[in-house]
Amino acid sequence: MTSRLLIDGPSLIYRAFFAVPKTITDPHGQPVNAVRGFVDMIGQLIGDHHPDEVIAVIDADWRPAFRVAAYPGFKANRPEEPEELTPQLGWIDQVLDAAGIARAEAEGLEADDVIATLSHSTGGDDRDAIVTGDRDLLSLVRDPNVRLLFTVKGVRELKVFDEAEVRRSYGIPPKAYSDFATLRGDPSDELPGVRGIGPKIAADLLARFGSLDNLMHNLQTVPAQLRTRLAASADYLEAMKIVVPLVTDADVVVSRSHPPERDELAVISKERNLTGAVSRLLAAIDANDRR
């Protein structure tokens, strides 16, 4: 059996950026809080979960053109990336590459789509654990091959989602989560949902009809007020068929994993004031290799 950690890079990097003080800087006075926090997260995850492989997945495009074409409001008002974060993304790549940790992306797509593609083909005795703070990825949970580790307090406290936990938490199976998010709405992606439909009604409807398509084909069987609201949102619901589902056949590019390049890491550590975080990462990698 092979175990693999799929790291939602944007989710964890943003958490690190806002959790670690920006007063932590390199010798040039540049903030390195996101780098240090993210590197420590990776080390913690390796030490706690002992994976055979780690892949850090990144956004090639956080607002893909095909989603915006279908629904222009998709992430339309999301704040710009903090200026202190931008240079740190490249330094994170440098650390990961020198540490031998694979990175994955797909041109024109979000990290979510890359994770969906990578996990889609996982089967047999292989196991994927997706580490994220993004509930959209709950749609990928599939027993026994794919589970989701949801960040609660960084990566030190994670909520584990298998199919049963998704049902307990949301009243739906994972495969219905995209329809659930469509009906309820998703503020993080600026998707309004259907007016008057919250999580409970959305879950009840999907429990009854199984899917959004089946619900819309049987509108005559739902109460009049709800039928009116769903009918009024028909254009929105049609657009969400393109916006919400994750891509599972992306052309993913994955860098090669390899043993850590310790001399290179030493140079990066000194230049970016990362000695402690990199030392902890290497200790976790070494301990995992000895298992």
Side-chain angles (χ1 to χ4, degrees), residues 16-212:
F17 178 77
F18 289 108
V20 180
K22 288 185 285 186
T23 52
I24 295 177
T25 62
D26 65 14
H28 312 286
Q30 296 291 320
V32 291
N33 54 321
V35 189
R36 186 179 292 188
F38 184 69
V39 170
D40 269 332
M41 286 180 177
I42 299 293
Q44 182 80 38
L45 288 165
I46 292 172
D48 288 347
H49 299 278
H50 314 295
D52 297 308
E53 185 180 7
V54 178
I55 300 179
V57 183
I58 59 178
D59 283 336
D61 189 340
W62 62 273
R63 196 168 179 252
F66 75 96
R67 290 191 169 109
V68 175
Y71 183 71
F74 176 69
K75 298 183 181 179
N77 297 302
R78 180 171 290 190
E80 292 293 325
E81 183 176 277
E83 62 179 0
E84 301 94 341
L85 175 59
T86 302
Q88 295 189 62
L89 300 177
W91 303 334
I92 287 172
D93 290 348
Q94 290 176 3
V95 173
L96 293 175
D97 290 346
I101 295 172
R103 293 186 291 117
E105 65 179 320
E107 184 177 356
L109 293 174
E110 300 174 73
D112 290 4
D113 298 307
V114 177
I115 292 171
T117 298
L118 292 173
S119 64
H120 183 68
S121 59
T122 300
D125 292 332
D126 293 338
R127 302 289 184 265
D128 283 342
I130 300 166
V131 185
T132 184
D134 185 350
R135 289 180 174 84
D136 289 348
L137 294 172
L138 288 168
S139 64
L140 303 178
V141 171
R142 175 168 46 87
D143 293 345
N145 300 105
V146 183
R147 59 183 181 146
L148 186 141
L149 308 180
F150 189 82
T151 53
V152 178
K153 293 181 179 178
V155 297
R156 294 181 181 274
E157 183 179 341
L158 298 166
K159 182 172 182 178
V160 180
F161 282 95
D162 56 9
E163 290 187 17
E165 186 56 42
V166 175
R167 287 182 181 272
R168 278 192 292 269
S169 297
Y170 298 97
I172 54 168
K175 66 180 181 180
Y177 193 86
S178 292
D179 286 348
F180 175 79
T182 294
L183 287 167
R184 178 206 59 189
D186 186 348
S188 67
D189 288 340
E190 298 181 60
L191 305 179
V194 177
R195 185 173 62 87
I197 294 184
K200 185 179 187 309
I201 294 177
D204 289 346
L205 287 170
L206 291 170
R208 177 181 171 188
F209 293 98
S211 70
L212 182 53

